[in-house]
Amino acid sequence: MAKKLALNVLYNIGIFICLVLVYTGFEKKHYEYIAGAVFIGAVLVVLKIRLMKEVRNMQNKP
């Protein structure tokens, strides 16, 4: 369970960094930063949702 908690924290940090990159990309008009950050952010969000579903299923089992 501790591994899953650490993985969740890493996903959160990654999503935050992607949001910062999108903001920076808009400010400096570097659209390749935006494209990369959006793609990686979307992958991290999907992985985070799958992790949350897995943890929820582990808690529901008796």
Side-chain angles (χ1 to χ4, degrees):
M1 195 70 166
K3 290 180 184 179
K4 293 189 186 306
L5 179 65
L7 190 59
N8 188 31
V9 170
L10 288 176
Y11 287 158
N12 287 335
I13 292 170
I15 291 168
F16 178 74
I17 290 172
C18 286
L19 289 173
V20 170
L21 280 175
V22 167
Y23 178 75
T24 304
F26 273 124
E27 272 190 355
K28 306 229 185 231
K29 299 193 191 279
H30 288 274
Y31 298 110
E32 61 273 4
Y33 289 175
I34 297 169
V38 167
F39 176 73
I40 293 171
V43 169
L44 289 174
V45 167
V46 168
L47 290 173
K48 182 175 172 65
I49 290 171
R50 291 175 70 191
L51 178 66
M52 289 182 350
K53 285 183 180 181
E54 184 179 332
V55 169
R56 189 176 304 136
N57 285 337
M58 286 174 47
Q59 290 176 347
N60 288 340
K61 289 184 181 179

